[in-house]
Amino acid sequence: MPVFVSEIVIDCADPERVATFWAEVLGWRAQREPEGYFWMSESGVDEENDLKLIFVPVPEPKTVKNRVHLDLSPRGADQEEELQRLLGLGARHADIGQEAGLLWHVLADPEGNEFCLLRTRRD
Amino acid sequence: MPVFVSEIVIDCADPERVATFWAEVLGWRAQREPEGYFWMSESGVDEENDLKLIFVPVPEPKTVKNRVHLDLSPRGADQEEELQRLLGLGARHADIGQEAGLLWHVLADPEGNEFCLLRTRRD
């Protein structure tokens, strides 16, 4: 196809704070650009085919549940251990009216952006 | 790292409509699950390491600019040709107060989810 998803962009009040959190979560390196935004990718170099996360400053605050969110999957690691690691990094549990007993955890980053921690797959 | 970004989840009023649009944009195949959501990935098979887009039904409407959005990059294709293709698939120009003269186009999908079409990279 002539287009591909190259970037996921997250609006921030404090891009450095949010980027620092996600860098620790993913083990990627947050890189500041002179324009005031931060980016990161798995390779850490600006390769076109490497999915980037971009953290941009915006004036407006977050007001509602995000309509687009990320799911994280443990890579071999235990879901419960990962939950504790993420909470230690500054994630918090988020109540978006979800049912009890889900197989995943609904969390939020330091600016309240919801994300889910899925169960560990064993396939 | 013990976690990775495995899914991008998009809340929808009509998951089939939104998934169909994105499937045409990306050349991926939208797959319906019995629970009422749709998913797609580049490989089209449920491989853990393959980034998925997930389209889930939610009761609440979209009310504000999305705080998380996707950027698309042309893969060799010309940006202007891609713009026309996306508009033909049902994308529309979105006004989020951006400056004139940007190097990218701000667009929205059939439910108003903002996304950007970046310029063609030549590196």
Side-chain angles (χ1 to χ4, degrees):
Chain A
M1 260 298 130
V3 291
F4 65 102
V5 178
S6 54
E7 300 178 348
I8 302 167
V9 184
I10 302 176
D11 289 353
C12 303
D14 182 346
E16 182 164 15
R17 180 183 184 210
V18 184
T20 300
F21 169 80
W22 283 94
E24 291 174 334
V25 165
L26 297 171
W28 295 0
R29 185 166 62 91
Q31 304 193 53
R32 182 198 305 264
E33 292 293 324
E35 296 88 345
Y37 69 88
F38 287 75
W39 68 273
M40 63 183 76
S41 68
E42 185 155 18
S43 72
V45 294
D46 185 15
E47 292 278 358
E48 179 162 29
N49 288 322
D50 205 14
L51 181 71
K52 292 184 188 69
L53 294 183
I54 314 271
F55 301 86
V56 298
V58 298
E60 68 274 12
K62 182 178 191 294
T63 55
V64 299
K65 188 188 85 169
N66 286 356
R67 207 152 172 93
V68 177
H69 73 261
L70 302 182
D71 285 350
L72 302 180
S73 289
R75 184 172 266 148
D78 180 73
Q79 185 190 35
E80 191 59 31
E81 283 176 355
E82 266 310 288
L83 173 63
Q84 295 308 319
R85 189 180 73 90
L86 298 177
L87 294 171
L89 293 176
R92 55 180 178 72
H93 288 284
D95 178 3
I96 55 165
Q98 68 267 32
E99 303 165 30
L102 293 178
L103 295 175
W104 60 90
H105 295 285
V106 182
L107 301 169
D109 76 9
E111 288 196 354
N113 297 298
E114 298 85 2
F115 65 98
C116 294
L117 174 64
L118 305 184
R119 67 190 169 84
T120 303
R121 283 174 57 151
R122 300 296 183 192
D123 58 9
Chain B
M1 261 297 129
V3 291
F4 65 101
V5 178
S6 55
E7 301 177 349
I8 302 167
V9 184
I10 302 175
D11 290 351
C12 303
D14 181 346
E16 182 164 15
R17 180 181 184 215
V18 184
T20 299
F21 169 80
W22 283 94
E24 290 174 335
V25 166
L26 297 171
W28 295 0
R29 185 166 62 90
Q31 305 194 54
R32 183 198 305 264
E33 292 293 322
E35 296 88 345
Y37 70 89
F38 287 75
W39 69 274
M40 64 183 76
S41 69
E42 185 155 18
S43 72
V45 295
D46 185 13
E47 293 278 358
E48 179 164 28
N49 288 322
D50 206 14
L51 181 71
K52 292 184 187 69
L53 294 183
I54 313 271
F55 302 86
V56 298
V58 298
E60 68 275 12
K62 182 178 191 296
T63 55
V64 299
K65 189 189 84 169
N66 287 355
R67 207 151 173 93
V68 177
H69 73 261
L70 302 182
D71 284 349
L72 303 180
S73 289
R75 186 173 265 147
D78 181 73
Q79 184 190 35
E80 191 58 31
E81 283 176 356
E82 265 311 287
L83 173 64
Q84 295 308 319
R85 188 180 73 89
L86 297 177
L87 293 171
L89 293 176
R92 56 179 178 71
H93 288 284
D95 179 2
I96 56 165
Q98 68 268 32
E99 302 164 31
L102 293 178
L103 296 174
W104 58 91
H105 296 286
V106 182
L107 302 170
D109 77 9
E111 289 196 354
N113 297 299
E114 299 84 2
F115 66 97
C116 294
L117 174 64
L118 305 184
R119 67 190 169 84
T120 303
R121 283 174 58 150
R122 302 294 184 194
D123 58 10

